[in-house]
Amino acid sequence: MKTIIEPFKIKTVEQLYFTTPEERKGLLTAAHYNPFLLHSEDVLIDLLTDSGTTAMSAKQWSALMDGDEAYAGSRSYYKFEEAVCDITGFSNIIPTHQGRAAEKILFSILGAPGKIIPNNTHFDTTRANIEESGSLAVDLPDPSGIKTEVAADFKGNMDTDALRALIARVGAENIPVVMLTVTNNSGGGQPVSMKNIRDVSAIAHEYRIPFYLDACRFAENAMFIKLREPGYENTPVKKIAQEMFSYADGCTMSAKKDGLVNTGGWLAINDDKLAAKARNVLIVTEGFPTYGGLARRDLEAIARGLVEVLDESYLAYRLRSIEYLGDAVEKNGVPIMRPTGGHAVYLDAKRFAPHIHLDHFPAQAIVCALYLKGGIRSVEVGSVMFGTYGPNTDDRSGAREQIHPPMQLVRLAVPRRVYTQSHIDYVAEAVSEVYAEREKLTGLRFTYEAPVLRHFTARFALV
Ligand code: F0G
């Protein structure tokens, strides 16, 4: 049989609410053309994020009831620790309420003014936490990773020549950690090969620099390795994941992705001294080391989620369902990041709406149009999220020189185990219709922007 089906059936359902195009026009205007500011009940298909939006399994829900809510030494913590250790092999597992809390703790210890932290591509919160520590966050994507039209197997790789050049230029003593994000979310959800993980690890260790994974989507990455990297065809995905972690000295993790839960994360560290410092920060900012900002029952759900996420029938369905959406829109000519990533389809706004100047955020214009067309919520991954201002900016006169990131993308992130094939067919139809009418798209300008992570709260007006 050729069809890859959802490897689950539905036990509990959640009502969707329909709105009319006229209603959506009013709602989007009231949200200042920023779908982050919409009420979720006004969204029909929510592809804003795959983070914390997972449908948990019956076994996870029943594990919640078995949570041991002790403040210290909870049985649920030890179950969680064992599950994380089994896959990652790291010796200190520090639970956090989500991924960015792990980042905050790690970089508040390792970061400082003058320090430089490279990654294939930093996610927005990772970059913000690094910059808050006074360090500089540097992206070193493989050159293929920023060409949306070039299909390659591992476009999430780090450019290892660029890493060597960076170390030579700034000195290993100024690089407290080398990070690698699997899969590369800001770079289109593209996977990193085992070879690249091994090479980056070897370079970092040659200079005695610790090497950490941002492991949010480690299982999807491991499945891509199984499907695409010679030599891994017959290796169980769990073994592949274990090998990925074996090259690293620690990881940050948002369990809201491949932990298959609605909240949670961890910081894992092999270095005992660093782990002791991290636990001290944890106690001040998150909670006691055996719960770290979570209800103990949440740790139970993660422990179970980590088993389910490595089920290969789940991962085959997961990657195929993303590819299915990509294929469906590409058939109608829609330009996307090729090939499709593990958790999302990324539309290439530069090719989708070339008539909109980058200063007027073409990807945000598409995000708005998708909501108006079909009640679909997506997210801009382009200049709104990653743009900065250049030296020719004069805040007093209002003249601002915008510096644009290499890509202008619209991410359609698919929550795990939530939507069925007909939901996805509907999305493909709406995207294709917006593309057919692309000349009508209008650019936007900021009417409000926060100093950091501006995309969350920004307000816009049409230009
Ligand atoms: N690293 C990566 C690669 C991420 O994608 C995210 C979150 C984080 C770190 C932070 O984790 O949200 O648990 O604090 N990404 C979400 C997204 C928000 O929509 O892609 P968090």
Side-chain angles (χ1 to χ4, degrees):
M1 301 293 286
K2 273 208 311 254
T3 305
I4 297 174
I5 62 166
E6 289 85 350
F8 49 80
K9 54 187 177 173
I10 295 165
K11 180 170 271 181
T12 306
V13 296
E14 193 179 338
Q15 181 75 41
L16 290 178
Y17 299 97
F18 291 84
T19 48
T20 64
E22 213 35 57
E23 284 167 339
R24 290 198 288 277
K25 217 169 159 182
L27 291 162
L28 188 64
T29 311
H32 303 276
Y33 299 93
N34 183 357
F36 271 108
L37 306 180
L38 290 167
H39 291 204
S40 67
E41 279 188 349
D42 298 327
V43 174
L44 185 62
I45 308 282
D46 203 346
L47 307 184
L48 182 71
T49 179
D50 63 320
S51 180
T53 50
T54 300
M56 291 210 294
S57 68
K59 286 200 170 143
Q60 284 177 294
W61 282 110
S62 51
L64 290 181
M65 280 307 292
D66 202 31
D68 166 11
E69 297 300 337
Y71 187 99
S74 160
R75 157 169 49 80
S76 303
Y77 170 76
Y78 295 107
K79 226 192 250 183
F80 158 83
E81 183 191 38
E82 193 184 331
V84 177
C85 247
D86 181 35
I87 299 165
T88 67
F90 297 129
S91 44
N92 297 282
I93 313 295
I94 299 168
T96 58
H97 79 274
Q98 62 181 84
R100 69 197 71 180
E103 294 166 358
K104 168 86 188 161
I105 293 169
L106 184 66
F107 300 129
S108 69
I109 301 168
L110 295 182
K115 302 285 180 200
I116 289 139
I117 301 177
N119 202 330
N120 44 0
T121 313
H122 290 284
F123 182 64
D124 59 358
T125 61
T126 323
R127 173 173 288 279
N129 275 303
I130 289 171
E131 289 174 352
E132 206 177 81
S133 77
S135 315
L136 185 67
V138 175
D139 292 340
L140 304 174
D142 185 90
S144 70
I146 51 174
K147 293 192 189 101
T148 56
E149 65 283 14
V150 178
D153 284 343
F154 293 104
K155 290 172 78 172
N157 284 353
M158 180 183 278
D159 181 342
T160 48
D161 292 338
L163 176 61
R164 279 196 183 279
L166 179 77
I167 297 171
R169 188 157 52 79
V170 305
E173 67 283 5
N174 291 317
I175 304 182
V177 59
V178 171
M179 303 278 305
L180 199 52
T181 303
V182 294
T183 57
N184 187 3
N185 183 15
S186 315
Q190 300 292 321
V192 179
S193 70
M194 191 72 88
K195 178 176 184 311
N196 193 250
I197 296 174
R198 211 182 290 127
D199 290 349
V200 171
S201 164
I203 295 170
H205 291 151
E206 185 185 322
Y207 292 94
R208 298 175 178 278
I209 305 171
F211 168 56
Y212 275 56
L213 289 176
D214 175 338
C216 298
R217 300 175 179 87
F218 75 94
E220 288 164 7
N221 199 93
M223 189 66 180
F224 276 121
I225 289 175
K226 184 178 177 103
L227 296 174
R228 295 182 183 172
E229 193 158 347
Y232 289 95
E233 308 77 345
N234 300 316
T235 313
V237 164
K238 182 172 170 184
K239 264 210 139 115
I240 295 176
Q242 287 166 328
E243 186 183 337
M244 286 164 54
F245 286 109
S246 75
Y247 300 115
D249 303 295
C251 74
T252 55
M253 173 73 185
S254 168
K256 297 169 75 171
K257 285 83 166 173
D258 275 350
L260 296 183
V261 292
N262 303 122
T263 196
W266 69 77
L267 172 61
I269 301 178
N270 272 344
D271 176 341
D272 290 338
K273 278 199 192 136
L274 181 63
K277 283 190 197 166
R279 286 200 176 96
N280 289 335
V281 180
L282 183 87
I283 289 172
V284 177
T285 58
E286 288 278 292
F288 192 74
T290 57
Y291 72 86
L294 290 165
R296 275 55 69 196
R297 56 181 174 272
D298 293 327
L299 297 168
E300 295 273 345
I302 297 172
R304 178 66 205 165
L306 289 175
V307 173
E308 294 177 7
V309 82
L310 289 170
D311 170 3
E312 297 191 13
S313 62
Y314 160 74
L315 284 168
Y317 140 78
R318 173 73 178 156
L319 300 193
R320 174 60 196 143
S321 63
I322 307 296
E323 185 185 49
Y324 176 87
L325 174 57
D327 288 351
V329 297
E330 261 205 309
K331 229 175 26 212
N332 296 320
V334 178
I336 63 167
M337 167 61 109
R338 302 188 60 227
T340 47
H343 66 294
V345 170
Y346 293 70
L347 310 178
D348 180 355
K350 277 192 195 168
R351 288 188 285 143
F352 195 118
H355 63 288
I356 301 181
H357 192 282
L358 297 191
D359 284 359
H360 298 150
F361 311 119
Q364 187 70 16
I366 298 168
V367 165
C368 290
L370 286 174
Y371 179 68
L372 293 174
K373 174 64 69 183
I376 296 159
R377 179 155 68 171
S378 54
V379 71
E380 197 262 14
V381 182
S383 290
V384 175
M385 191 181 272
F386 289 117
T388 52
Y389 292 110
N392 300 322
T393 291
D394 179 353
D395 283 332
R396 272 174 311 176
S397 73
R400 317 199 89 184
E401 178 196 13
Q402 294 200 41
I403 307 218
H404 300 287
M407 293 187 286
Q408 302 292 331
L409 304 173
V410 174
R411 187 183 72 171
L412 304 166
V414 183
R416 293 171 180 77
R417 308 190 290 204
V418 169
Y419 293 117
T420 65
Q421 188 169 337
S422 52
H423 290 125
I424 297 298
D425 287 336
Y426 171 90
V427 171
E429 219 175 292
V431 171
S432 304
E433 279 190 28
V434 169
Y435 183 65
E437 303 161 355
R438 59 193 175 279
E439 265 116 56
K440 284 199 246 162
L441 291 166
T442 311
L444 299 141
R445 63 179 169 81
F446 281 122
T447 55
Y448 166 76
E449 61 179 303
V452 282
L453 297 176
R454 62 186 184 180
H455 50 290
F456 289 118
T457 53
R459 295 175 175 193
F460 301 89
L462 296 173
V463 291

